[in-house]
Structures are given as structure tokens and as C-alpha cells.
Amino acid sequence: MTSLRSLPRGPGDRGLITTEMVIVLPILVAFLFLLVSLLSRRVFAQSVAVQEQLGALSTRAQENLSGIQQVKAYVQEEREAAAFRELGAEFRRRSLAMATLRGLMLALIAGFAGLGTLVVLFVGGRHVLDGRITFADFVAFHATLGLLAWSVWT
């Protein structure tokens, strides 16, 4: 297999990275990028829903505090407390849904980073054993993978 760095110049010259290693990695990174992009949109929508519910909860509390005399005068304490509990329960439901989705997204990112590491270890290790690349070239390629994964993670 030829190198992307250069064609071999002599019998002992090996390339830095093989074509097979370069083809496998972008496929994993592209799939991870698409998955994170889709999940990020859903996380954003969930975040907006949580913020809206927090606004409704805050508004209800503020209205009750500023109009406490009317609430007491018309004996509406239980009704207002029940309405506030409903708003609080909805806020909790939306917050837990968002936390679940964010947890899923982070778990998928970590899983794909691990899968990418396994693929690189398998393919690169096989190339090192076959003599297609040196161990130092393999370590350099793996370090590059780490930099790519870190950019996606952050």
C-alpha cells in the first residue's frame, strides 16, 4: 500500500500513513459529527423548553407573591399551590428529559472515541506488524487521532 506522504524512495523507505488508515478515520469522524449535530439540535430545543417552563414557574411565583392579599382574600391558596406544583412537575419532567439527552450525547461521543481508538489500534497495529509503517509513525497517527477527537469533544 502506498503512503500519502510520499511514494517509497528505496527498499527500506516506508510512508508515514497508509491510505487505508486515512480512509477509515474520516468515516468514523464524519459519522460522529453527524450524530452530534443531530443530537445538539435536540438538546437545544430541550434547553429552550426548560427555560420557557422556568419562566412560567417564575412568573407564577412572582404573581402570587405580589398578589398575596388577593389570593388570601378569595381563599385561593390551595388552587394556586396546586397550579404551582403542576408547573414544578412539568419543569422537572423537561429538565430530566434534557439531562437524559445530554447524557446520551456525551456517552455516544465517548463511545465513538473509544471505537475510533480500537479501529486505529487494529489497523495501525496490523500495519506495524506487516512492516508497512514504523511504530513511531503509528504513534504519530494515533496522537493525531487524539487531537481530532479532542476538537469534537470540546
Side-chain angles (χ1 to χ4, degrees):
M1 182 160 298
T2 62
S3 163
L4 289 182
R5 178 185 67 169
S6 64
L7 293 172
R9 293 183 198 97
D13 189 19
R14 290 176 280 197
L16 176 64
I17 301 170
T18 63
T19 307
E20 184 178 304
M21 288 174 64
V22 173
I23 290 172
V24 169
L25 184 61
I27 292 170
L28 284 173
V29 172
F31 187 70
L32 177 62
F33 178 77
L34 288 173
L35 197 60
V36 168
S37 178
L38 291 172
L39 285 175
S40 291
R41 288 185 203 143
R42 291 188 61 196
V43 166
F44 178 75
Q46 288 280 341
S47 179
V48 168
V50 167
Q51 292 299 317
E52 287 173 352
Q53 190 63 29
L54 181 60
L57 192 64
S58 177
T59 300
R60 187 65 169 224
Q62 187 177 16
E63 287 173 354
N64 280 326
L65 289 174
S66 64
I68 192 69
Q69 298 298 331
Q70 286 79 18
V71 170
K72 285 184 176 183
Y74 294 106
V75 191
Q76 297 296 311
E77 293 97 337
E78 284 302 316
R79 187 178 73 83
E80 290 300 318
F84 191 79
R85 275 193 297 275
E86 281 182 38
L87 288 171
E90 180 63 17
F91 176 72
R92 181 178 46 242
R93 187 193 67 74
R94 289 182 185 188
S95 294
L96 289 174
M98 184 183 71
T100 301
L101 191 58
R102 288 181 74 187
L104 173 67
M105 186 173 75
L106 292 176
L108 284 172
I109 291 171
F112 270 95
L115 179 64
T117 299
L118 287 176
V119 168
V120 167
L121 285 174
F122 178 75
V123 173
R126 205 175 72 223
H127 289 346
V128 169
L129 292 175
D130 291 345
R132 294 183 201 173
I133 62 172
T134 66
F135 182 71
D137 293 339
F138 172 68
V139 170
F141 185 76
H142 194 266
T144 303
L145 170 67
L147 291 173
L148 285 172
W150 185 254
S151 68
V152 171
W153 186 266
T154 58

